[in-house]
Amino acid sequence: MSGLLLRDAELDGRVRADVRVEGGRVAEIGPGLARRAGERTVECGGGALLPGLCDHHLHLHAMAAAERSVPCGPPDVTTPDGLAAALRGAVPDEHGWIRGTGYAEAVAGHLDAAGLDAFRADRPVRLQHRGGALWTLNSAAVRAAGLAAGGHPGIERGADGAPTGRLWRADAWLRERLPPAPPADLAGVGARLLRLGVTAVTDATPDLDGTALASIGSAVRDGALPQRVHLLGVPLEGPAEPLPGRVTTGPYKIVLADSGLPSLDDLAERIGRAHAAGRAVAVHCVTREALFLLLAAFDASGARPGDRIEHAALVPAETAGDLAARGLRVVTQPGFIADRGDDYLRDVPAADRPDLYRCAGLTAAGVPVGLSSDAPYGPADPWAVMAAAVRRRTRSLDVLGADEAIDPAAALRGYLTAPGTPY
């Protein structure tokens, strides 16, 4: 095939025309273009022709791992019986372990090792909370991973000092104590995203090590991952090995963990180090307390063009102007309204619900807003995320944050901007 001819495509919502593509670029636009020898023709029938979409916040390796894991949360699993069936029916990996993902407390409460044993105790089981920050291990997994002797601060311990089986923000630490995993199938992730129209992504995983960077670089280099990739987790000193041309370095990812916020001085110092290295920052921030701390840290360190807030899950209305005044951007995930909105309506105080995953209010205040999925922790389908931004409907069709709804064109724009300018 020497080229591509798109017939009768809608352009910019105004005109219909033929479009010729050569070498990956638009070469000609006009009515009734003549087909050339060897040129593939696609009849668009008046369908809209759009640029490729960019998901401004997801996690490539976690998406690959989720595809070889057992779904253990909504919408697949919603009851204790459902969780029992999922884990008992799970086939262990080649090392005998079972990996579950997507768990939410609405399924069977706050699990610890003993609670997870009730669902499956004969094999080591590790169950990831749908938020991605918490792993719960059953007793067999606690023993196999050596949690009793481990020194990671994220190991939760009971009054007797014994590990409860709950492990916070310790992915790298835990990975070192698990049997070796097979190479991540980023080709499967890339193909899935491409089917959804996503041709560029920002991987928001913090502190990517050499193995993870090499994996992404190799997948891009050999075409297994066809998307352009923007990385937030590149170390401040830069990657050990050169990255392919379609892989770029973005702002430096900083996580404000709900389980233990840093001091103001420490956070300001981390932001300052990133700025001194020539990098903006992308700060994971999901609570009111974290947001106030972050704003104070920017006051201490100063803001840099490109500084952005990831998630901004709860933004009081009175702070929107503070974000704009500091020149901050927001990359948020309204897909969580559709995916978890019923839980928010049940668990989040009524006074806080209007502050969840703001879109319209931030834009009106002058804060640039980009949309994203946070896949695999949120729905990867960009069209579902856009629909959630427009409709603000939960699974049960209740409306959450109606004043934060944006129009379809604005939602689409949130996915059409380049990785380096997510707004």
Side-chain angles (χ1 to χ4, degrees):
M1 186 179 71
S2 61
L4 178 65
L5 182 62
L6 305 170
R7 289 206 179 279
D8 190 26
E10 178 195 282
L11 307 179
D12 292 331
R14 296 190 299 271
V15 299
R16 290 165 69 160
D18 298 346
V19 178
R20 172 166 285 117
V21 179
E22 295 177 346
R25 295 181 177 274
V26 174
E28 191 176 3
I29 299 174
L33 297 181
R35 179 180 178 274
R36 295 174 179 171
E39 200 169 47
R40 179 188 173 193
T41 301
V42 176
E43 298 293 339
C44 299
L49 180 62
L50 301 174
L53 305 179
C54 179
D55 189 322
H56 293 293
H57 181 124
L58 49 64
H59 304 271
L60 291 168
H61 284 104
M63 291 178 72
E67 290 182 353
R68 63 175 189 270
S69 303
V70 183
C72 291
D76 305 280
V77 174
T78 58
T79 65
D81 287 346
L83 180 61
L87 291 177
R88 290 170 186 165
V91 178
D93 66 18
E94 64 271 28
H95 303 291
W97 281 70
I98 294 170
R99 185 185 195 275
T101 57
Y103 183 74
E105 291 83 357
V107 174
H110 294 273
L111 294 177
D112 57 12
L116 192 50
D117 287 345
F119 296 98
R120 186 150 187 181
D122 64 315
R123 298 280 188 174
V125 177
R126 56 184 176 123
L127 183 62
Q128 188 181 44
H129 190 272
R130 67 180 178 183
L134 171 66
W135 285 97
T136 302
L137 280 61
N138 71 353
S139 297
V142 167
R143 292 191 295 271
L147 256 65
H152 193 280
I155 299 173
E156 182 181 278
R157 298 182 182 274
D160 60 356
T164 65
R166 292 162 62 87
L167 185 61
W168 293 91
R169 294 201 176 277
D171 286 38
W173 184 91
L174 180 59
R175 194 179 303 117
E176 293 174 355
R177 286 152 181 80
L178 297 174
D185 179 20
L186 295 181
V189 173
R192 178 185 174 196
L193 290 170
L194 208 57
R195 287 194 296 270
L196 294 168
V198 176
T199 59
V201 299
T202 294
D203 185 289
T205 307
D207 303 319
L208 293 169
D209 60 20
T211 300
L213 289 171
S215 170
I216 293 171
S218 176
V220 170
R221 197 175 287 112
D222 65 20
L225 191 63
Q227 286 78 17
R228 289 177 293 137
V229 180
H230 201 53
L231 299 174
L232 304 186
V234 175
L236 286 180
E237 61 271 19
E241 300 292 335
L243 297 171
R246 286 193 296 114
V247 180
T248 53
T249 297
Y252 179 64
K253 179 72 176 287
I254 295 174
V255 175
L256 297 185
D258 310 332
S259 53
L261 292 173
S263 70
L264 173 59
D265 288 344
D266 286 347
L267 179 56
E269 191 270 337
R270 290 192 71 189
I271 294 172
R273 276 195 290 117
H275 288 173
R279 302 262 301 271
V281 293
V283 186
H284 166 110
C285 182
V286 298
T287 63
R288 178 185 285 102
E289 293 79 9
L291 180 61
F292 290 156
L293 173 65
L294 179 58
L295 291 174
F298 276 123
D299 286 342
S301 67
R304 176 188 176 95
D307 285 339
R308 48 191 265 191
I309 300 177
E310 306 299 303
H311 309 299
L314 199 155
V315 178
E318 64 272 17
T319 63
D322 297 326
L323 271 63
R326 291 165 176 80
L328 301 175
R329 279 78 172 153
V330 164
V331 175
T332 192
Q333 298 88 30
F336 284 130
I337 297 294
D339 195 51
R340 306 181 188 178
D342 291 321
D343 293 346
Y344 298 152
L345 287 171
R346 182 188 64 244
D347 300 331
V348 174
D352 290 339
R353 293 174 198 160
D355 298 335
L356 290 169
Y357 294 100
R358 290 186 179 275
C359 292
L362 292 174
T363 301
V367 179
V369 177
L371 301 186
S372 61
S373 68
D374 198 21
Y377 311 114
D381 184 347
W383 307 101
V385 175
M386 287 183 241
V390 172
R391 298 171 184 154
R392 307 284 299 193
R393 290 192 179 276
T394 70
R395 289 187 187 277
S396 62
L397 301 182
D398 287 323
V399 175
L400 180 55
D403 291 343
E404 292 302 318
I406 55 179
D407 63 44
L412 179 58
R413 284 195 299 273
Y415 268 93
L416 290 180
T417 50
T421 52
Y423 46 84

